[in-house]
């Protein structure tokens, strides 16, 4: 009986934890959202230009599917965990030492990403179709990173125009500040940088479809649309 009571207590704690996680605010709207992971073969898509063109064509196909309200792509999806610590340089400030890394998640996204997940822009603008190869490198940061850039008491608009760089990457100008989206559901949102996928396209694509009905009905059309190579 004692063992049974322990098992029941453990089961009750797990159920309560699951209930609380289910009610947690992840920072985006998961309702009627279909996601998929797609890896582009390097032999066929060896250049950033070919990857960018593929992404444009694919998003166009997916957007035209019946029942799809918004189609978008990103290098990774929320709730997939935070990235490894990376050094963040801020123009006008001393460079960070390796012992003082700031944990920053960097995600490349298509312009429709914010609408697909229902993420609000609190200051500035979202990444758009003009943010492509050859145009000035832009970035949207989340509120957590904006507070790091400008201090907890500053408004999100104070981060606009800041120039930042992750590792040895390009310097980017902050053009927008977005709501926080969690990478781990039961932890506070971590600092995040979002960059235009058409400027810095990665070979792995995570697809997002915001649907008007049951997302499962779009699984087969989604798979058919992706098989274009």
């Amino acid at each position: 009986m004692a063992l049974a009571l322990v098992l029941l207590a453990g089961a009750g704690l797990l159920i309560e934890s699951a209930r609380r996680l289910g009610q947690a605010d992840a920072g985006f709207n998961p309702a009627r959202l279909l996601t998929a992971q797609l890896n582009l073969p390097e032999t066929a898509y060896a250049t950033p230009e070919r990857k960018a063109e593929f992404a444009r064509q694919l998003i166009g196909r997916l957007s035209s599917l019946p029942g799809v309200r918004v189609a978008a792509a990103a290098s990774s999806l929320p709730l997939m965990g935070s990235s490894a610590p990376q050094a963040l340089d801020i123009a006008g400030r001393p460079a960070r030492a390796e012992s003082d890394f700031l944990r920053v998640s960097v995600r490349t996204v298509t312009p429709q990403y914010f609408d697909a997940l229902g993420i609000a822009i609190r200051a500035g603008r979202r990444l758009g179709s003009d943010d492509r190869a050859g145009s000035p490198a832009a970035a949207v940061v989340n509120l957590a990173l904006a507070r790091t850039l400008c201090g907890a008491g500053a408004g999100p608009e104070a981060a606009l125009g800041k120039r930042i760089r992750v590792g040895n990457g390009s310097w980017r100008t902050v053009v927008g500040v977005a709501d926080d989206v969690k990478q781990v559901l039961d932890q506070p949102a971590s600092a995040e940088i979002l960059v235009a996928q058409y400027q810095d396209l990665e070979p792995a694509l995570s697809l997002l479809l915001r649907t008007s009905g049951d997302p499962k009905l779009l699984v087969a059309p989604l798979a058919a649309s992706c098989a274009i190579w």
Side-chain angles (χ1 to χ4, degrees):
M1 181 176 294
L3 179 60
L5 288 175
V6 171
L7 291 174
L8 286 174
L13 290 173
L14 289 173
I15 292 172
E16 176 63 15
S17 297
R19 184 189 68 79
R20 291 170 62 183
L21 286 174
Q23 295 176 344
D25 182 10
F28 66 93
N29 180 11
R32 295 182 177 177
L33 190 64
L34 178 64
T35 66
Q37 183 73 26
L38 178 64
N39 291 298
L40 298 181
E42 289 290 343
T43 53
Y45 298 92
T47 66
E49 292 76 16
R50 293 207 63 185
K51 294 171 185 175
E53 183 58 29
F54 170 84
R56 290 190 187 92
Q57 292 182 10
L58 179 58
I59 295 301
R61 286 182 178 223
L62 296 177
S63 299
S64 65
L65 291 176
V68 173
R69 293 174 55 192
V70 183
S75 57
S76 62
L77 298 177
L79 300 183
M80 299 300 290
S82 299
S83 64
Q86 299 184 66
L88 177 68
D89 287 336
I90 304 171
R93 299 188 192 177
R96 288 178 177 267
E98 290 187 9
S99 59
D100 191 29
F101 274 6
L102 174 67
R103 184 178 292 272
V104 180
S105 298
V106 180
R107 194 188 315 274
T108 60
V109 301
T110 60
Q112 305 86 354
Y113 174 83
F114 303 95
D115 288 335
L117 289 178
I119 301 173
I121 300 296
R122 295 302 178 186
R125 65 171 178 86
R126 67 189 62 196
L127 298 168
S129 57
D130 289 337
D131 298 309
R132 57 184 182 272
S135 63
V140 169
V141 302
N142 67 345
L143 288 170
L145 182 52
R147 287 189 290 270
T148 298
L149 295 176
C150 306
E157 64 279 354
L160 301 178
K162 297 286 187 181
R163 288 178 55 77
I164 57 178
R165 179 177 67 177
V166 175
N168 295 320
S170 302
W171 284 99
R172 297 180 179 275
T173 300
V174 176
V175 299
V177 179
D179 266 347
D180 287 334
V181 173
K182 292 185 177 181
Q183 306 309 315
V184 181
L185 194 57
D186 59 350
Q187 296 181 12
S190 58
E192 182 177 25
I193 300 172
L194 300 108
V195 301
Q197 197 166 75
Y198 299 147
Q199 279 187 336
D200 189 14
L201 191 68
E202 298 186 8
L205 291 178
S206 294
L207 304 174
L208 305 99
L209 299 186
R210 171 73 61 188
T211 67
S212 57
D214 186 352
K216 294 191 294 294
L217 299 178
L218 273 297
V219 172
L222 169 62
S225 297
C226 291
I228 63 174
W229 65 77

